[in-house]
Amino acid sequence: MDEKALAREELIGLHVTIKECKDSKWTGKSGVIIDETKNTFLIRINDKNKRIAKKIAKFEFEHDEKKTILNGSKIAYRSEDRIKKQGEKLWQKKRKKQGT
């Protein structure tokens, strides 16, 4: 799945690995996203819930047996706003192609 498609998806429940992070103690950690706010993910790592800021890391998501890396700053929106924003962009592109 490409970055744009994944950014439109619900991320809660996905397995995620932190590939890069400004705080090096996070790099390489992985777990399942159990909650999302505008600026953070709550990830279940080794039976503990850990909150990490989206803007300081690159995340590798596993979805449909594929891996996709996203820069956290590109998804630093509330989940409903992130999904809505991506949907609006697709709708505008479709209208542009149809000439309406």
Side-chain angles (χ1 to χ4, degrees):
M1 177 174 284
D2 69 11
E3 291 180 15
K4 289 181 182 180
L6 183 62
R8 291 188 307 267
E9 296 292 321
E10 176 63 62
L11 301 176
I12 295 172
L14 294 183
H15 187 271
V16 65
T17 300
I18 300 162
K19 299 304 278 184
E20 295 177 24
C21 187
K22 290 181 181 179
D23 183 348
S24 61
K25 74 178 181 182
W26 284 99
T27 302
K29 303 271 186 190
S30 64
V32 175
I33 297 174
I34 60 171
D35 197 14
E36 175 182 8
T37 68
K38 177 181 177 181
N39 296 307
T40 67
F41 285 126
L42 185 62
I43 304 172
R44 185 80 173 166
I45 301 172
N46 297 328
D47 296 324
K48 294 183 180 180
N49 295 340
K50 304 286 186 175
R51 190 165 303 274
I52 182 169
K54 292 177 182 178
K55 291 183 178 183
I56 67 167
K58 286 188 180 181
F59 301 92
E60 180 182 73
F61 297 91
E62 293 181 32
H63 187 271
D64 294 334
E65 299 181 18
K66 295 180 183 176
K67 295 181 179 182
T68 305
I69 295 176
L70 282 175
N71 190 324
S73 62
K74 293 187 178 195
I75 53 175
Y77 302 95
R78 292 184 307 157
S79 59
E80 59 270 27
D81 291 342
R82 178 175 42 79
I83 293 166
K84 181 181 175 182
K85 181 178 179 175
Q86 293 301 323
E88 288 173 354
K89 285 181 182 179
L90 289 175
W91 180 77
Q92 289 173 354
K93 283 182 183 179
K94 185 177 180 181
R95 283 192 55 165
K96 201 175 217 181
K97 285 182 183 180
Q98 293 175 347
T100 57

